[in-house]
Amino acid sequence: MRWQRQTLDADDGALPGLERAGFVRSVQTPEFEGITFHEVLCKSALNRVPESTLPFSWTINPMRGCSHACRYCFARGTHEYLDLDAGADFDSQIVVKTNVVPVLRREVHRRSWRRESVALGTNTDPYQRAEGRYRLMPGIISALTESGTGFSILTKGTLLRRDLPLLVSAAEQVPVHLAVSIAILDEELHRGLEPGTPSPRARLELVRALADAGFAVNVMVAPVIPYLTDSNHHLDELFGAIADAGAAGVTAFPMHLRGSTRGWFLTWLAEAHPALLRRYRQLYGRSASVTPEYSAWLRGRIEPLLEKHRLNRERRAAPEVRAAASHTPDTQLALFA
């Protein structure tokens, strides 16, 4: 059979947390070798964000876990809420809310719905590879648009181009903000740190396609990875390529190493760049963030390059970019639900 273990009572052996999340079944397919999809039925599609500085009050996460497998992903720890690990499980055990579209349609058509802006991409990427199989985003975009609800999307996934006509149509009716994440231009480093993502060049072509369609695209150059992607040469080349692709602006900030992400990233660093371990211990100490001195140094490097490439025209970051930059404890659960 093309799909395996499709019975509703399949024994996965490691899903006690998913039982609480409306678990239905686990499936595998040769098209996604090494990845298991855990299909769940969600009770709610919209997640309220506690009062914060974020420019939106609601998020939607059609999936949890992400096959992009980015070593630095700040959302890794959220898989532990499901009794799955934040390392290999996060990359390969993908939770899919298969009923998210009909649930969302009911929620946005309630008389109490105030049509506040909704953000997608605050946790894991809505256009990761699994979206090609489940096709949840067209229904989500349509439900939000038909209800008069504006939305934003942050993605590394070039699969978004499939929905470009739908997004163009939506933007004629509601506010639509699109942002693309491109942190690394070097192909070898990209393969080590973001092995499941489309190539940097493919994402630059996505930026070009969105700009050509009339969107003011913000590119998130984040995280900037200390001693690996913070050189003047790398940032200058990357910003130049982003500007050539037609982006309206760039948001950049240094890497956070929060919770389980810290160990997962440092394990990779010890294997790939062991000489940097000592410098990382000095830079981060026991904190999830770099030192204030490094942050100030990086800003001083980035600002002239933004000016040089005219990427500082959009000084206020797009909503979905600001969300990714924040991920503070008081908003974490709502962003990741």
Side-chain angles (χ1 to χ4, degrees), residues 311-329:
L311 289 169
N312 55 358
R313 289 169 288 173
E314 294 290 329
R315 299 306 301 164
R316 190 165 70 89
E320 63 287 332
V321 173
R322 290 167 63 187
S326 65
H327 54 82
T328 51

Side-chain angles (χ1 to χ4, degrees), residues 48-284:
R48 178 179 285 279
V49 179
E51 289 188 14
S52 67
T53 59
L54 298 179
F56 53 82
S57 301
W58 301 90
T59 66
I60 299 173
N61 294 300
M63 302 178 198
R64 297 179 67 170
C66 187
S67 60
H68 285 343
C70 300
R71 282 280 178 172
Y72 51 74
C73 181
F74 65 81
R76 286 186 171 277
T78 63
H79 238 42
E80 295 171 343
Y81 304 153
L82 301 172
D83 294 333
L84 296 168
D85 74 59
D89 282 353
F90 182 85
D91 301 338
S92 62
Q93 307 292 315
I94 311 301
V95 179
V96 184
K97 301 175 183 178
T98 55
N99 67 331
V100 67
V101 173
V103 171
L104 175 62
R105 288 189 183 280
R106 289 198 300 269
E107 291 179 328
V108 296
H109 284 93
R110 290 173 180 166
R111 298 178 71 176
S112 59
W113 176 240
R114 298 172 59 188
R115 299 177 178 82
E116 299 170 276
S117 182
V118 174
L120 294 105
T122 60
N123 177 17
T124 53
D125 200 318
Y127 280 105
Q128 60 178 288
R129 288 181 59 217
E131 169 59 18
R133 173 69 194 186
Y134 287 94
R135 299 184 61 87
L136 301 175
M137 285 300 292
I140 290 173
I141 293 168
S142 296
L144 293 172
T145 304
E146 292 164 6
S147 68
T149 302
F151 59 92
S152 62
I153 299 173
L154 170 63
T155 185
K156 290 185 174 90
T158 54
L159 183 58
L160 181 144
R161 294 185 72 164
R162 178 200 66 193
D163 295 339
L164 187 51
L166 187 60
L167 290 165
V168 169
S169 177
E172 296 173 352
Q173 304 172 65
V174 298
V176 176
H177 300 280
L178 301 179
V180 179
S181 176
I182 311 174
I184 302 168
L185 196 59
D186 179 84
E187 290 286 353
E188 183 177 355
L189 188 59
H190 158 256
R191 286 192 293 270
L193 279 171
E194 308 172 333
T197 65
S199 71
R201 295 297 174 185
R203 279 179 269 165
L204 286 168
E205 287 304 311
L206 172 62
V207 173
R208 189 181 308 278
L210 297 178
D212 288 346
F215 290 99
V217 186
N218 194 295
V219 174
M220 189 167 78
V221 177
V224 176
I225 303 170
Y227 316 125
L228 290 175
T229 66
D230 60 357
S231 71
N232 191 78
H233 173 75
H234 179 270
L235 291 172
D236 190 21
E237 187 178 8
L238 178 55
F239 288 178
I242 290 169
D244 288 344
V250 158
T251 301
F253 52 84
M255 180 172 63
H256 296 271
L257 290 177
R258 187 183 305 279
S260 302
T261 300
R262 183 186 184 101
W264 191 246
F265 176 83
L266 292 179
T267 297
W268 171 85
L269 189 72
E271 297 173 354
H273 301 278
L276 292 179
L277 275 176
R278 183 176 180 181
R279 299 178 73 180
Y280 265 75
R281 294 191 186 102
Q282 295 172 338
L283 183 61
Y284 285 89

